[in-house]
Amino acid sequence: MIPKSLKKEILLLGECKAMLRKPKYPVLSQPNEVYRSVPVHEEDEIESIKNGTEEPFTNQFNLVKSNDLEEEHNKSVAIKNSAMERIFTFGDDFISTVRTAKIAEGIYDFRIDDIGVKENVDTQYGMKDQYVIKFSLYSEKTQQITPLIVFYNISSHQKSELMMFLSAFKEVFKGQRITMNYLIGKTGHAKIYHVFSEAGNAFEKIEILNVENPNT
């Protein structure tokens, strides 16, 4: 018969062994894995930042964001400068302001950056859909690139502004059927001139002088 004191020692020993068998960390499926409280990629990122060895894509991402912020800042400054140049006329019983042209008349290198559509625009000819064409203009005189947005009422009339604009691309697309998207990326030379409304507002117009043909 086993003494009571010995029984207590055996029970205590069994409990101690059971406690030793309980893992301190979760059981890992791979023998080389190590328990981490921070995900691997986060630790690598923290370490790379400390050492100044960020991955190339991280630096590129930051650079793009920085460039975007700088571009937005430049646009904001340009808009403010344009507003500061507005002319106000004081009459006897009224105050009026007119729009001034922001791009000087002359010859420019152009590139078509994008083309969109505005629907149901209230024009002097009634409600019209319009193509919105975004240009980049380069001046050899100033060596600067200036954006220009031109609106064309969508019309099939051969004497309409849209058709007159498209006629400049005849040689490039001769014998083809295209959509407006085919014009995106096209380059050439253009003349900027100003037109004036009855109220005295000045607007930029573009005349395509020639289009570079990649097939020639």
Side-chain angles (χ1 to χ4, degrees), residues 59-78:
N59 291 323
Q60 291 168 10
F61 176 78
N62 292 337
L63 180 62
V64 169
K65 287 296 181 183
S66 175
N67 289 342
D68 287 347
L69 289 173
E70 184 177 353
E71 183 179 345
E72 289 301 318
H73 171 72
N74 292 339
K75 287 180 181 178
S76 176
V77 170

Side-chain angles (χ1 to χ4, degrees), residues 8-190:
K8 287 182 180 181
E9 290 181 8
I10 292 171
L11 289 172
L12 287 172
L13 181 61
E15 290 176 2
C16 289
K17 287 182 177 180
M19 290 176 65
L20 289 173
R21 283 198 297 269
K22 290 181 179 179
K24 186 175 180 180
Y25 302 116
V27 177
L28 304 172
S29 59
Q30 299 295 332
N32 294 329
E33 288 181 354
V34 179
Y35 179 80
R36 297 171 182 266
S37 59
V38 181
V40 176
H41 66 277
E42 290 185 18
E43 283 192 352
D44 291 343
E45 184 179 352
I46 293 168
E47 190 65 26
S48 65
I49 292 172
K50 287 180 181 177
N51 299 332
T53 56
E54 293 177 275
E55 292 292 328
F57 73 85
T58 305
N59 291 323
Q60 291 168 10
F61 176 78
N62 292 337
L63 180 62
V64 169
K65 287 296 181 183
S66 175
N67 289 342
D68 287 347
L69 289 173
E70 184 177 353
E71 183 179 345
E72 289 301 318
H73 171 72
N74 292 339
K75 287 180 181 178
S76 176
V77 170
I79 291 171
K80 288 178 181 177
N81 290 341
S82 173
M84 293 301 294
E85 293 170 1
R86 276 188 175 271
I87 297 173
F88 294 88
T89 301
F90 289 81
D92 293 336
D93 56 356
F94 69 91
I95 300 174
S96 65
T97 181
V98 296
R99 183 188 189 276
T100 57
K102 300 171 181 61
I103 302 175
E105 293 183 322
I107 306 301
Y108 293 81
D109 295 339
F110 80 86
R111 182 184 186 278
I112 297 178
D113 295 325
D114 193 24
I115 300 177
V117 175
K118 287 186 70 174
E119 297 180 340
N120 299 320
V121 179
D122 189 8
T123 73
Q124 60 180 327
Y125 306 107
M127 303 299 288
K128 296 284 185 180
D129 294 339
Q130 294 180 334
Y131 285 120
V132 183
I133 304 182
K134 298 180 180 181
F135 297 86
S136 288
L137 303 175
Y138 173 75
S139 170
E140 291 187 357
K141 180 186 285 187
T142 63
Q143 296 186 345
Q144 291 182 338
I145 297 175
T146 306
L148 172 68
I149 299 177
V150 180
F151 299 86
Y152 290 99
N153 290 337
I154 297 177
S155 170
S156 59
H157 193 284
Q158 292 301 304
K159 294 297 183 181
S160 66
E161 283 193 67
L162 175 62
M163 290 300 170
M164 296 295 287
F165 166 74
L166 290 175
S167 65
F169 298 86
K170 280 182 179 179
E171 293 301 317
V172 178
F173 298 111
K174 193 172 183 179
Q176 301 180 45
R177 300 178 67 186
I178 69 166
T179 65
M180 291 295 286
N181 284 329
Y182 280 70
L183 302 184
I184 298 174
K186 293 303 178 196
T187 58
H189 297 90

